[in-house]
Amino acid sequence: MFRNQYDTDVTTWSPAGRLFQVEYAMEAVKQGSAAIGLRSKTHVVLACVNKSNSELSSHQRKIFKVDDHIGVAIAGLTADGRVLSRYMRSECINYGYTYESPLPVGRLVVQLADKAQVCTQRSWKRPYGVGLLVAGLDESGAHLYYNCPSGNYFEYQAFAIGSRSQAAKTYLERKFENFTGSSRDELIKDALFAIRETLQGEKLTSTVCTVAVVGVGEAFNILDQATVQALINEFEISGEEGPTNESVAEEAGGESGGAATEEGGAATEQETAPMDI
Amino acid sequence: MSNPLILYLCLRMVSGVMVMDSLLSPEGDSQRTQYPYVTGTSVIGIKYKDGILMAADMGGSYGSTIRYKSVERLKQVGKHSLLGASGEISDFQEILKYLDELILHDNMWDDGNSLGPKEVHNYLTRVMYNRRNKFDPLWNSLVIGGVKNGQKYLGSVSMIGVHFEDDHVATGFGNHLARPILREEWKEDLSFEEGVKLLEKCMRNLLYRDRSAVNKLQIAKITEEGLTISQPYSLKTFWNFAAFQNPTVGAEGSW
């Protein structure tokens, strides 16, 4: 592997002003199977790709309900993700006990980011190796955040993390302007389409993906497999036979732009610290 | 250590330490507030068309002596809430200190979220119940009212943590003298003027019959627009009712 003298310790700077251990932690997020999220004014949908280690084992859960109004999808080290979602659950419960009202999503996200940040500044710790898409609903509406191991967090209209997430991002970038006014079901449809993009030719079935929704009048819930399969069939997005006509036409139009951003992203990655990704 | 005498001495030392511990520990013989010193009497709160109205007089009693005459017992909490307190005045000041800190930390998030009356009410319930579980209660009955996002809220907490919401609430003597009037005359769409009139009727009744009440009161209003607490003022009274002039007529004692 590539080695350099500044990457053995989380708290050691490189002369270029980078923290390599933190960047490696963010690499761990890219290794994990994909998770995506997108939101309208009233709903947020999370979806992820289920990968099992062997034919004989089941896959690991990647979407967790935190509270009635918040849920997360993770990519990276699942074990770290579980620990963080347990932390989030307890924060929500404590807030609910004290104030009898739901914890604002933005606050939970900041607390989570602060927790991750501490690990980038202590010699005896390691950064969390997990990226979290936090979906939630509060007084100010529906929110989607991305929390990363560096302690940074961002709010998104739509986002994708994990392996081959660039394909899903390209799909979402092409469509996100319509999401604000989308209905719940339209969001789920776009989520499934975006997930299919990350599969690269593999057939989309309800066994390889999980979908969850939270929105106005709907507590965070993970859709059961039968429901997801029914939606896949309804939208005809299994994808083995290639993109449907509709998306062929769109892809032709969006191809050049999508490819350009991908290359651009790779180019900038070389020069600057990807800390803020 | 196998020597029984040494073992016995060791045990004695250990138990000796334990005895000392329980006698000298700060928990051991500490006294909690067993009774209140300076107290305020009833607070009344009602919902009205645009928000919440609250009334309280300004007396502070030292036992049964009315010792202070300008105690403010209606206070603002954050942007959306109003708090009224009866009972131990210094405990109320302690509660205000907790709330100041709560609101400060809430504002420090600087994220556009803010605690509403419901959150403040529940927080106070937790504080009151927690203190009573330490056998060290804050000796107050509290009324919390407010408006947030067009939602009116009015509730009450007692010194042992009993809490509820209602369209009109009162503490202490107000429960006996004001609430029967409110049950008769309160309605959902009271105007501000009607609300004030109703509160004044209640406060006048309390003034006549509650020996701790004084004729100097404040009325506070909270709506979506904001909060105002009136300057102190007095109610017109009429003491020449026959029953006031000769209270024992028709109520002869057994001796």
Side-chain angles (χ1 to χ4, degrees), chain A residues 1-53:
Chain A
M1 282 292 280
F2 320 105
R3 292 217 154 257
N4 74 56
Q5 59 177 313
Y6 301 107
D7 74 350
T8 47
D9 197 335
V10 235
T11 57
T12 301
W13 289 101
S14 84
R18 300 166 62 170
L19 292 170
F20 284 104
Q21 282 294 326
V22 175
E23 288 175 25
Y24 296 160
M26 290 192 293
E27 283 307 310
V29 179
K30 293 184 195 162
Q31 308 283 338
S33 57
I36 64 127
L38 62 164
R39 65 155 238 239
S40 69
K41 260 201 185 106
T42 54
H43 287 80
V44 197
V45 173
L46 294 176
C48 67
V49 179
N50 297 324
K51 278 273 158 57
S52 51
N53 285 329

Side-chain angles (χ1 to χ4, degrees), chain A residues 95-102 104 106-107 110-111 138-140, chain B residues 102 106 109 111 113-115 118-119 122-123 126 129 148-149 163:
Chain A
Y95 192 94
Y97 174 70
T98 312
Y99 302 108
E100 213 169 82
S101 71
R107 291 198 179 175
V110 173
Q111 286 182 277
D138 60 25
E139 266 182 19
S140 53
Chain B
L102 181 79
D106 190 46
W109 281 96
D111 60 356
N113 291 304
S114 56
L115 296 170
K118 179 186 161 213
E119 286 76 28
N122 203 252
Y123 170 79
R126 303 287 53 123
Y129 184 61
K148 194 184 174 191
N149 302 329
H163 60 291

Side-chain angles (χ1 to χ4, degrees), chain A residues 26-88:
Chain A
M26 290 192 293
E27 283 307 310
V29 179
K30 293 184 195 162
Q31 308 283 338
S33 57
I36 64 127
L38 62 164
R39 65 155 238 239
S40 69
K41 260 201 185 106
T42 54
H43 287 80
V44 197
V45 173
L46 294 176
C48 67
V49 179
N50 297 324
K51 278 273 158 57
S52 51
N53 285 329
S54 90
E55 291 280 307
L56 299 171
S57 78
S58 65
H59 65 82
Q60 286 181 299
R61 268 159 67 80
K62 281 167 58 74
I63 295 187
F64 300 95
K65 177 170 176 151
V66 172
D67 201 345
D68 277 346
H69 68 301
I70 296 178
V72 288
I74 61 171
L77 299 185
T78 338
D80 285 11
R82 250 180 13 244
V83 168
L84 287 177
S85 45
R86 197 218 289 131
Y87 167 77
M88 293 166 84

Side-chain angles (χ1 to χ4, degrees), chain B residues 89-104:
Chain B
I89 297 299
S90 65
D91 282 354
F92 177 47
Q93 289 165 346
E94 181 78 1
I95 289 169
L96 288 177
K97 212 176 75 184
Y98 297 153
L99 290 172
D100 268 350
E101 195 176 336
L102 181 79
I103 297 300
L104 179 72

Side-chain angles (χ1 to χ4, degrees), chain A residues 149-200:
Chain A
S150 64
N152 281 314
Y153 65 96
F154 307 90
E155 184 162 14
Y156 283 97
Q157 184 71 244
F159 199 48
I161 55 174
S163 65
R164 284 183 254 150
S165 61
Q166 187 54 52
K169 259 186 263 183
T170 309
Y171 175 84
L172 295 168
E173 277 163 15
R174 210 166 57 224
K175 300 271 239 156
F176 79 95
E177 271 148 336
N178 307 321
F179 291 164
T180 318
S182 284
S183 69
R184 171 189 184 276
D185 293 344
E186 285 165 346
L187 282 185
I188 294 175
K189 187 177 176 180
D190 279 316
L192 288 169
F193 270 112
I195 280 291
R196 192 188 59 180
E197 298 291 316
T198 70
L199 293 176
Q200 289 201 329

